[in-house]
Structures are given as C-alpha cells and as structure tokens.
Amino acid sequence: MKIRGRAHVFGDDVDTDAIIPGPYLRTTDVYELASHCMAGIDEDFPKKVKEGDVIVAGENFGCGSSREQAPIAIKYCGIKAVIAESFARIFYRNAINIGLIPIVCKGITKHVKDGDVIEVDLENEKIIINDKITLNCETPKGIEREILEAGGLTNYIKKQQNLKKVASN
C-alpha cells in the first residue's frame, strides 16, 4: 500500500491537549472533533488539510493524556498517516486501534517542510519526499498491520468473529 499527500509539519512534544483541546471533548461526533483538530496549535489546520495528507512531526508526538479523541480528530480531518521521529506509546496504540497509520522515521523533520509531497511505501518501509529524497521508516507490522488493514480494532474484531463463525459452520 502507498500513501501520497502533502505534509503538515509540527515540532517535538505535540501533546494530545494541543491536538484536540479539552473544551472540544464534549462531543462524540467524529467530524465535530475533526473540525477542531490541532486547535491548540493552529485553529485553521482543518481548513488546510486535503484528504490523504500526512502529518510530519518530531519526537514524542501525541504525548500527554491518553485521550483517544486525538487520533480520531486527526483521522477524520482527512489525514491518512502521521509520520514522526517518535510517538508517545499510548497515542501510537490509539492510532492503530482507530485505523490511523503511525510511521516512525528518524530525522524526517530535517528534510520536510509544509506542503512538501510525501509518498509512503508501507510494504518497503520507504518515504519519498518531493520525488527526490528517500528515507527509511518503520511501519506497523504483525497484528498492528492487520488491525490497520481492517480499518481499526473494532473492524478487526468483527472480522475475526466472522471468520470463527464461518469456520464453525
């Protein structure tokens, strides 16, 4: 699978409070959450995103509280993947569980600026920037990849239950 989109670049230690500030957590509507994505940093961020774009960030992306609304807001804003130099552990798992692709790429922020075109080759674990620079990356594997391919943990569980029903018939 390949992803191609424009980069939206953020720095180190982007916390979940910046991704979706507390006052916007009163809704369960994923598109309402998305309309406030990154409001702690850039109120206009959702207007800049086109479907399939990617976030590129530095170290410790998604630190802070464990709110799963943070990856939900990012995903439903139109972002296909978050590429960071490192992730907070809980954000990384929450992203996989809701079907947002987290990708680790050490040193990426030295090579990318806002608006650059990023292509991610998940199978070969490569990132190509503006069709010129190629970097190695780490993509989810094993069960994490299976969950992402199913569209998130809920869909993965449903798929597994259906497989069990078919096997028992």
Side-chain angles (χ1 to χ4, degrees), residues 15-25 62-72 90-91 94:
D15 68 33
T16 55
D17 294 332
I19 296 168
I20 187 72
Y24 303 116
L25 298 176
C63 58
S65 67
S66 63
R67 61 179 67 157
E68 67 184 18
Q69 295 96 329
I72 289 170
I90 290 177
F91 179 90
N94 282 339

Side-chain angles (χ1 to χ4, degrees), residues 1-162:
M1 182 167 113
K2 291 189 179 180
I3 297 166
R4 188 172 174 92
R6 290 178 312 125
H8 300 272
V9 181
F10 295 91
D12 294 338
D13 300 314
V14 174
D15 68 33
T16 55
D17 294 332
I19 296 168
I20 187 72
Y24 303 116
L25 298 176
R26 294 186 180 99
T27 183
T28 57
D29 181 319
V30 295
Y31 296 103
E32 179 66 21
L33 287 170
S35 73
H36 302 291
C37 183
M38 304 307 270
I41 299 171
D42 179 358
E43 286 280 341
D44 293 327
F45 177 74
K47 296 173 189 164
K48 298 174 185 175
V49 174
K50 292 190 176 22
E51 189 68 35
D53 283 355
V54 298
I55 286 177
V56 174
E59 298 284 343
N60 203 25
F61 187 84
C63 58
S65 67
S66 63
R67 61 179 67 157
E68 67 184 18
Q69 295 96 329
I72 289 170
I74 292 170
K75 177 182 177 178
Y76 287 92
C77 187
I79 297 293
K80 185 69 174 174
V82 177
I83 305 165
E85 297 197 24
S86 69
F87 288 92
R89 182 187 59 79
I90 290 177
F91 179 90
Y92 184 89
R93 286 305 309 195
N94 282 339
I96 287 170
N97 289 345
I98 62 98
L100 175 67
I101 304 168
I103 299 165
V104 176
C105 185
K106 296 291 184 186
I108 191 166
T109 55
K110 295 176 188 146
H111 301 281
V112 179
K113 63 183 183 320
D114 271 337
D116 283 352
V117 176
I118 304 290
E119 183 174 303
V120 180
D121 181 341
L122 292 169
E123 296 306 315
N124 295 306
E125 297 192 315
K126 301 282 184 200
I127 294 174
I128 302 164
I129 304 162
N130 293 325
D131 297 318
K132 295 177 186 170
I133 299 169
T134 301
L135 302 173
N136 294 320
C137 64
E138 298 171 34
T139 61
K141 295 170 190 58
I143 188 78
E144 292 175 343
R145 176 71 63 94
E146 290 177 34
I147 292 169
L148 286 168
E149 287 171 353
L153 186 58
T154 302
N155 290 340
Y156 175 80
I157 291 169
K158 287 178 185 174
K159 181 179 173 184
Q160 295 304 309
Q161 289 171 339
N162 288 338

